[in-house]
């Protein structure tokens, strides 16, 4: 007995303004499926206001109530959600788990190079927005401003549609960039990035010690996200008495963009299975989460050390899902943003989009950008280092930049 692809993911759009859209997923289960689905939802800029998840270990049923945004491409969202469901990946009947040893071929990396005659406010964000709309995933960026004021941008991207090798797809991309850049556009070319080019673009694998101490500390610094802590402290507790076969994890905290994803990716990294889950965010921004979980061996988490480790990790991920700091780089000012990379190798979606949008709103120009992955304290991080242009007219205080970028990333606008 099978299930039709159109029945795997069903999206019922809101009929009235202010009502949520309901996304239903009904498919075979796999560890980390909730994380993968929440990542796709976050990639499309949607916020989950309520959720229910249940599974018997073989088949799962998930319902997400999401707050939609204008111009959401629902058909494309359905397609991307289907792609992470095990039943959609199977071509010969339904299977319960996607074999981990069958790793997909890494996507080709393309180098997108374009020149602009001058720097203008929000240019980098406008380009980033176009690339996101085209489903081109940005992996690295190098932005340089020449002494005569021209701007050269190098984007290392992969194509979700796997069509960027074709001239038609390249022409579409260049046309969209021309449209957004206007008279500032000078030239653009797209080519497959060779391994030597990609290696040269990565730069040094080491970060300055000042940066690592500033934003990668495992301790919670005084004043860190004081708004969240003061108004709604994070509570994470475990209970083994309510279920004979599952550990109950209860979370109370303030809502932020991608909160369900942050919880699910943490559990996925710990190889923990969620048998039943419920999530609710009130209009005031308070969240309640109940998760009945078990280890990969199908047993409860009874070891106190494992319980404490999981609770501590969840608290940290909910309080500081991203790290933001404005630091001195010699005489210059550098914005540093870091987010943890999943064990699967994927970073949080739309981080660079949100950073450039926040800086555009703050009327802060970008001089150069470096994006890279770094292994720090046994964890891999995706680190964005943005050198800010402190030319004539620069007046935004550093604390305002840090606050503005963090609020955008956390959805606290």
């Amino acid at each position: 007995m099978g299930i039709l692809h159109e029945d795997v993911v069903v999206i019922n759009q809101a009929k009235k303004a202010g009502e949520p859209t309901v996304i239903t997923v009904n498919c075979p289960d796999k560890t980390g499926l909730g994380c993968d689905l929440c990542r796709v939802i976050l990639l499309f800029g949607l916020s989950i206001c309520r959720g229910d998840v249940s599974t018997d270990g073989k088949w799962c049923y998930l319902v997400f109530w999401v707050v939609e945004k204008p111009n959401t491409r629902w058909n494309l969202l359905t397609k991307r959600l289907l792609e992470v469901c095990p039943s959609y990946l199977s071509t010969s009947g339904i299977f319960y788990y996607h074999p981990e040893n069958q790793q997909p071929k890494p996507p080709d990396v393309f180098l997108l190079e374009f020149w602009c005659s001058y720097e203008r406010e929000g240019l980098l964000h406008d380009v980033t927005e176009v690339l996101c709309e085209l489903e081109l995933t940005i992996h690295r960026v190098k932005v340089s401003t020449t002494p005569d004021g021209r701007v050269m941008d190098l984007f290392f991207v992969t194509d979700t549609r796997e069509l960027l090798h074709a001239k038609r797809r390249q022409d579409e991309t260049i046309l969209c960039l021309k449209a957004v850049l206007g008279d500032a556009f000078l030239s653009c070319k797209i080519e497959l990035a060779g391994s030597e080019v990609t290696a040269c673009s990565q730069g040094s694998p080491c970060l300055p010690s000042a940066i690592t101490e500033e934003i990668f500390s495992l301790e919670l610094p005084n004043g860190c996200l004081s708004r969240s802590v003061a108004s709604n402290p994070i509570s994470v507790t475990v209970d083994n008495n309510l279920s004979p076969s599952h550990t109950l994890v209860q979370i109370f905290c303030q809502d932020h963009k991608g909160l369900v994803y942050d919880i699910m990716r943490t559990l996925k990294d710990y190889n923990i299975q969620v048998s039943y889950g419920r999530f609710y965010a009130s209009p005031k921004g308070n969240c309640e989460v109940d998760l009945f979980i078990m280890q990969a061996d199908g047993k409860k988490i009874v070891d106190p050390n494992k319980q404490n480790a999981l609770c501590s990790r969840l608290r940290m991920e909910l309080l500081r899902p991203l790290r933001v700091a404005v630091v001195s780089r010699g005489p210059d000012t550098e914005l540093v943003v870091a987010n943890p990379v999943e064990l699967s190798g994927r970073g949080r979606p739309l981080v660079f989009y949100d950073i450039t949008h926040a800086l555009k709103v703050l009327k802060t120009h970008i001089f150069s950008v470096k994006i890279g992955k770094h292994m720090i304290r046994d964890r891999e991080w995706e680190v964005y280092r943005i050198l800010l242009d402190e030319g004539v007219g620069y007046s935004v205080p550093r604390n305002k930049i840090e606050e503005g970028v963090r609020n955008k990333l956390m959805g606290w606008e």
Side-chain angles (χ1 to χ4, degrees):
M1 180 177 178
I3 183 169
L4 298 176
H5 286 168
E6 56 264 32
D7 295 329
V8 174
V9 176
V10 178
I11 297 180
N12 294 312
Q13 291 181 240
K15 296 180 180 180
K16 297 179 181 179
E19 291 183 349
T21 289
V22 182
I23 301 174
T24 303
V25 181
N26 182 24
C27 68
D29 195 15
K30 69 172 183 178
T31 301
L33 176 61
C35 170
D36 298 341
L37 293 171
C38 289
R39 188 182 190 280
V40 174
I41 292 172
L42 180 59
L43 179 60
F44 277 73
L46 304 174
S47 299
I48 301 174
C49 59
R50 180 183 166 194
D52 281 293
V53 179
S54 61
T55 179
D56 60 2
K58 295 182 178 181
W59 201 271
C60 65
Y61 185 74
L62 307 95
V63 185
F64 301 103
W65 287 259
V66 301
V67 179
E68 62 179 87
K69 67 172 188 175
N71 304 318
T72 299
R73 295 178 288 180
W74 297 109
N75 290 336
L76 185 59
L77 173 60
T78 301
K79 182 179 180 181
R80 297 296 172 239
L81 290 171
L82 280 169
E83 289 173 349
V84 301
C85 294
S87 57
Y88 186 72
L89 296 171
S90 174
T91 57
S92 57
I94 295 175
F95 61 89
Y96 291 145
Y97 294 98
H98 185 225
E100 294 296 332
N101 58 348
Q102 295 182 8
Q103 295 295 331
K105 176 182 175 292
D108 290 330
V109 178
F110 289 84
L111 171 60
L112 190 158
E113 175 187 326
F114 67 89
W115 285 83
C116 295
S117 57
Y118 59 90
E119 168 65 36
R120 65 166 171 77
E121 191 175 286
L123 181 146
L124 193 55
H125 173 70
D126 295 341
V127 171
T128 302
E129 186 172 23
V130 168
L131 298 182
C132 289
E133 288 293 321
L134 290 169
E135 291 196 287
L136 297 177
T137 303
I138 301 169
H139 294 276
R140 290 185 178 83
V141 179
K142 293 187 71 175
V143 179
S144 302
T145 304
T146 62
D148 61 0
R150 292 184 301 158
V151 178
M152 181 189 72
D153 287 0
L154 300 177
F155 284 80
F156 293 85
V157 302
T158 55
D159 187 3
T160 301
R161 304 175 194 174
E162 299 184 348
L163 295 173
L164 200 54
H165 60 279
K167 186 178 185 302
R168 181 176 178 180
R169 176 71 161 153
Q170 292 185 10
D171 289 344
E172 176 194 20
T173 301
I174 294 173
L175 190 64
C176 290
L177 288 172
K178 278 185 177 179
V180 74
L181 294 173
D183 60 2
F185 181 89
L186 289 177
S187 65
C188 179
K189 65 178 181 179
I190 302 173
E191 60 186 12
L192 188 65
S195 57
E196 66 281 356
V197 175
T198 306
C200 290
S201 73
Q202 294 179 5
S204 171
C206 300
L207 289 174
S209 58
I211 292 179
T212 57
E213 291 300 324
E214 177 82 19
I215 66 176
F216 295 107
S217 172
L218 296 179
E219 299 297 326
L220 300 182
N222 293 329
C224 173
L225 299 187
S226 56
R227 163 185 172 176
S228 173
V229 177
S231 62
N232 193 352
I234 294 173
S235 171
V236 182
T237 59
V238 296
D239 191 323
N240 278 320
N241 297 320
L242 292 179
S243 171
S245 55
H246 295 85
T247 295
L248 170 63
V249 176
Q250 292 185 301
I251 300 172
F252 299 93
C253 61
Q254 183 184 22
D255 193 13
H256 67 251
K257 183 190 298 183
L259 182 140
V260 184
Y261 166 71
D262 289 326
I263 295 172
M264 292 299 184
R265 70 172 169 80
T266 301
L267 298 178
K268 181 181 179 181
D269 285 352
Y270 272 78
N271 200 24
I272 288 176
Q273 300 175 14
V274 179
S275 298
Y276 174 76
R278 182 189 68 86
F279 167 83
Y280 173 73
S282 72
K284 294 183 178 180
N286 300 319
C287 292
E288 299 180 12
V289 183
D290 294 327
L291 301 170
F292 286 87
I293 64 174
M294 60 183 179
Q295 301 175 113
D297 59 7
K299 298 179 180 179
K300 290 182 177 184
I301 305 175
V302 295
D303 186 337
N305 292 328
K306 290 183 178 180
Q307 292 179 6
N308 291 334
L310 177 61
C311 290
S312 296
R313 176 70 176 271
L314 283 169
R315 288 190 196 99
M316 178 63 76
E317 297 299 335
L318 294 176
L319 183 61
R320 304 181 71 192
L322 302 110
R323 311 297 172 90
V324 182
V326 177
V327 299
S328 295
R329 182 172 157 187
D332 302 315
T333 299
E334 184 176 58
L335 169 68
V336 183
V337 178
N339 66 276
V341 176
E342 297 176 32
L343 291 182
S344 63
R346 296 181 304 182
R348 189 187 193 88
L350 298 182
V351 171
F352 191 60
Y353 175 89
D354 284 342
I355 293 171
T356 55
H357 186 226
L359 293 177
K360 180 179 180 179
V361 172
L362 290 167
K363 302 184 184 302
T364 301
H365 290 271
I366 296 171
F367 184 78
S368 66
V369 178
K370 293 181 181 179
I371 303 175
K373 292 182 178 179
H374 302 266
M375 189 64 76
I376 300 170
R377 295 176 181 169
D378 299 325
R379 291 190 69 185
E380 189 175 24
W381 296 79
E382 194 169 53
V383 182
Y384 301 77
R385 299 180 62 186
I386 300 167
L387 191 63
L388 304 178
D389 187 352
E390 297 184 287
V392 178
Y394 179 87
S395 60
V396 183
R398 292 186 177 188
N399 65 321
K400 292 296 183 182
I401 295 175
E402 185 172 326
E403 180 183 11
V405 172
R406 177 180 288 117
N407 287 347
K408 178 62 181 177
L409 289 166
M410 298 291 281
W412 292 340
E413 304 159 277

